[in-house]
């Protein structure tokens, strides 16, 4: 069984950990196993039959219009209605900055957005995205281009990954943006059946993104 990459800033690791959150069989999202989230240990591949864990902590949907600040304090966003801040559910993932999770599920999967932040320049980001595409393709996932996005005036580039997780067809969009000597990785995961709606919610969220 192949393990996800364990670099500090890993698109593959990010996709693995948070897809597990989104497709938890519980009625609320479960935190990734501590061993999977550790930067020094392997994590279960997103396309495997691994479980997200049995314990879950109920979350309260973010009220419409509520502004959420990232852990780094570098940006704020206003989540779509019904979305929850769930950053604590990925507390073991290296450089986690913000996690937002939809309170609704389509096809047993809750849409989620995960943002990590770490020091780095554009060349580091470009290298990370290229390695992420290569490693996820090697894991048997369908990798394709994703249209560029604008994050508060900064262009974000990335790619789309399609695969099956625990019998659920998942679509993950991974984007990278560099600003002020920092690299931000954004991964939006949804069921393939809800991909269009998830992207509309993502665009809504990006329209509220503000650098601080």
């Amino acid at each position: 069984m192949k393990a996800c990459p364990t670099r500090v800033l890993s698109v593959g690791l990010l996709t693995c950990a948070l897809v597990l959150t989104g497709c938890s069989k519980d009625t609320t999202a479960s935190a990734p196993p501590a061993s999977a989230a550790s930067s020094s240990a392997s994590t279960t591949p997103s396309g495997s039959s691994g479980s997200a864990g049995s314990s879950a902590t109920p979350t309260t949907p973010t009220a419409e219009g509520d502004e959420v600040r990232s852990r780094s304090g570098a940006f704020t966003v206003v989540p779509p209605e019904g979305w929850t801040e769930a950053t604590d559910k990925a507390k073991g993932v290296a450089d986690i900055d913000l996690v937002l999770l939809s309170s609704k599920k389509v096809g047993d999967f809750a849409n989620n957005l995960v943002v990590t932040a770490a020091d780095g320049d554009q060349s580091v980001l470009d290298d990370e995205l290229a390695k992420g595409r290569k490693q996820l393709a090697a894991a048997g996932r369908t990798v394709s281009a994703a249209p560029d996005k604008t994050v508060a005036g900064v262009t974000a580039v990335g790619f789309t990954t399609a695969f099956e997780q625990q019998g659920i067809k998942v679509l993950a969009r991974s984007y990278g943006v560099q600003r002020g000597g920092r690299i931000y990785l954004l991964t939006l995961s949804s069921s393939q059946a809800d991909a269009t709606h998830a992207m509309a919610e993502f665009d809504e969220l990006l329209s509220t993104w503000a650098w601080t």
Side-chain angles (χ1 to χ4, degrees):
M1 181 173 63
K2 294 181 180 179
C4 289
T6 56
R7 298 187 310 280
V8 171
L9 224 109
S10 171
V11 175
L13 175 60
L14 187 61
T15 302
C16 288
L18 276 302
V19 161
L20 290 176
T21 296
C23 70
S24 169
K25 297 297 184 181
D26 203 341
T27 55
T28 54
S30 300
S35 59
S38 171
S39 61
S40 61
S42 298
T43 190
T44 305
S46 298
S48 78
S49 59
S51 168
S54 58
S55 62
T57 302
T59 54
T60 303
T62 303
E64 188 173 5
D66 281 0
E67 183 179 86
V68 175
R69 183 176 296 272
S70 67
R71 281 186 174 177
S72 66
F75 65 90
T76 62
V77 294
V78 178
E81 183 179 2
W83 282 59
T84 300
E85 182 183 6
T87 311
D88 60 335
K89 296 187 179 300
K91 58 187 176 183
V93 179
D95 300 312
I96 201 74
D97 206 18
L98 182 66
V99 178
L100 297 173
L101 180 68
S102 174
S103 60
K104 299 179 181 179
K105 288 190 177 184
V106 175
D108 290 327
F109 192 98
N111 297 345
N112 63 84
L113 174 69
V114 185
V115 183
T116 61
D119 293 336
D121 59 18
Q122 189 63 44
S123 65
V124 174
L125 176 58
D126 292 343
D127 183 59
E128 180 59 35
L129 290 173
K131 288 179 180 178
R133 291 186 64 145
K134 182 177 179 180
Q135 290 168 340
L136 291 171
R141 294 160 198 172
T142 301
V143 180
S144 58
D148 292 354
K149 295 291 181 180
T150 300
V151 181
V154 182
T155 300
V157 298
F159 58 88
T160 297
T161 311
F163 54 95
E164 189 168 312
Q165 165 72 31
Q166 299 179 5
I168 300 169
K169 292 183 178 180
V170 177
L171 193 69
R173 286 94 157 193
S174 299
Y175 288 94
V177 61
Q178 194 275 339
R179 181 180 184 273
R182 300 276 285 172
I183 292 173
Y184 301 87
L185 291 179
L186 295 72
T187 295
L188 172 73
S189 298
S190 70
S191 65
Q192 293 180 24
D194 201 39
T196 301
H197 177 243
M199 182 55 74
E201 291 190 309
F202 184 51
D203 288 338
E204 176 188 340
L205 181 146
L206 289 182
S207 73
T208 72
W209 189 294
W211 300 107
T212 57

